[in-house]
């Protein structure tokens, strides 16, 4: 485990690690402790009562954060002809077909989200070993395999994020920057939690939303009282 710097220790000492806080209080503490020279990302960790090794307990989806992410999202699109033109017009950063396949196979990935038209999936499938581990493989369920590439590009640029439960049953997601106002962060927090609750899988048994913590990139985690959220 990495040693904490003096500054990190000082910040950690201001937080009672065991105390449960209301959402607004937790966001306030996280903002107060985000004192780095860069604009830290505010992150939420949701500990769910699921075992993602079972297909009927997988939690994955997309949610649009109403106040945006504060990040510039680079979008790559696999498309040809008129659909490629649509993607470019919508603001896609990289658009191509076989040429883009070669670039990605060569190890250069200049995008954070990947979208493809259905007819391109035979081609994109060859990149499974490259895009899969990075969570970039286009997926119809996430709206990233679609004929409406213009909407998919604008959604990705406009604050839409993907969330996915990890092996330990935890979802990590950024909900904005420390420079955001507290009400904006709260709005994004509520949108994420609401989406994850609605995505509760049929195989989930017992308490679904077990624990929630909010933190900034360099700051300590603050536990949230889930009872305030009135979800099972």
């Amino acid at each position: 485990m990495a040693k904490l710097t003096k500054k990190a220790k000082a910040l950690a000492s201001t937080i009672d690690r065991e105390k449960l806080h209301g959402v607004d209080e937790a966001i306030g503490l996280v903002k107060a402790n985000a004192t780095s020279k860069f604009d830290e990302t505010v992150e939420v960790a949701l500990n769910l009562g699921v075992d993602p090794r079972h297909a009927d307990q997988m939690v994955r989806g997309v949610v649009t954060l109403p106040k945006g992410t504060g990040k510039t999202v680079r979008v790559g699109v696999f498309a040809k002809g008129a659909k490629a033109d649509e993607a470019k017009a919508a603001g896609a950063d990289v658009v191509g077909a076989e040429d883009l396949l070669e670039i990605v196979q060569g190890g250069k990935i200049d995008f954070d989200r990947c979208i493809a038209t259905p007819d391109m999936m035979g081609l994109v499938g060859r990149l499974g070993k490259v895009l899969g581990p990075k969570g970039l493989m286009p997926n119809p369920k996430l709206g990233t395999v679609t004929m409406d590439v213009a909407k998919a590009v604008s959604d990705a640029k406009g604050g839409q994020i993907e969330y996915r439960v990890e092996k330990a049953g935890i979802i990590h997601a950024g909900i904005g920057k420390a420079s955001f106002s507290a009400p904006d962060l709260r709005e994004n927090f509520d949108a994420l939690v609401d989406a994850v609750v609605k995505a509760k899988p049929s195989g989930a048994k017992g308490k679904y939303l077990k624990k929630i913590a909010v933190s900034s990139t360099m700051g300590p985690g603050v536990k949230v009282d889930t009872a305030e959220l009135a979800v099972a």
Side-chain angles (χ1 to χ4, degrees):
M1 195 171 170
K3 281 189 177 180
L4 289 174
T5 62
K6 280 184 183 177
K7 183 180 174 185
K9 279 182 182 173
L11 287 176
S13 69
T14 65
I15 303 288
D16 181 345
R17 289 302 185 95
E18 298 312 309
K19 184 184 175 187
L20 296 176
H21 300 79
V23 178
D24 293 330
E25 185 188 2
I27 287 171
L29 284 166
V30 168
K31 276 176 64 67
N33 281 304
T35 56
S36 296
K37 289 178 181 174
F38 66 96
D39 194 5
E40 296 180 42
T41 296
V42 176
E43 296 168 353
V44 177
L46 301 156
N47 192 325
L48 305 179
V50 297
D51 182 350
R53 290 174 299 181
H54 299 288
D56 66 345
Q57 293 186 48
M58 188 64 197
V59 183
R60 185 180 186 187
V62 291
V63 58
T64 297
L65 300 179
K67 299 302 180 181
T69 63
K71 290 181 178 176
T72 301
V73 179
R74 297 168 303 163
V75 180
V77 179
F78 282 89
K80 282 182 173 178
K83 290 296 168 185
D85 294 338
E86 278 179 36
K88 287 173 188 168
D93 298 86
V94 190
V95 182
E98 285 83 3
D99 52 340
L100 185 52
L101 172 89
E102 287 181 17
I103 291 168
V104 174
Q105 279 179 330
K108 190 177 180 185
I109 300 177
D110 272 339
F111 47 82
D112 311 299
R113 292 287 293 277
C114 185
I115 294 159
T117 52
D119 58 305
M120 287 280 106
M121 285 309 292
L123 190 74
V124 178
R126 291 190 234 160
L127 296 170
K129 286 183 180 176
V130 183
L131 298 178
K134 294 183 181 296
L136 290 171
M137 198 67 185
N139 183 320
K141 289 180 181 175
L142 301 177
T144 45
V145 177
T146 175
M147 287 302 283
D148 194 350
V149 288
K151 182 180 184 300
V153 170
S154 63
D155 284 348
K157 293 267 186 186
Q160 188 187 71
I161 61 165
E162 290 183 21
Y163 59 84
R164 182 177 185 166
V165 69
E166 297 162 12
K167 284 180 185 174
I170 298 172
I171 287 175
H172 288 100
I175 57 162
K177 295 288 188 178
S179 60
F180 281 26
S181 71
D184 284 359
L185 287 169
R186 175 65 196 255
E187 208 172 320
N188 282 353
F189 174 93
D190 288 342
L192 172 66
V193 171
D194 187 50
V196 171
V197 168
K198 283 179 178 168
K200 181 179 178 178
S202 57
K205 301 287 187 286
K207 190 172 173 66
Y208 176 56
L209 206 55
K210 291 166 80 173
K211 295 177 186 172
I212 301 179
V214 187
S215 63
S216 62
T217 309
M218 306 299 288
V222 181
K223 289 182 178 176
V224 172
D225 186 358
T226 56
E228 182 194 309
L229 302 171
V231 289

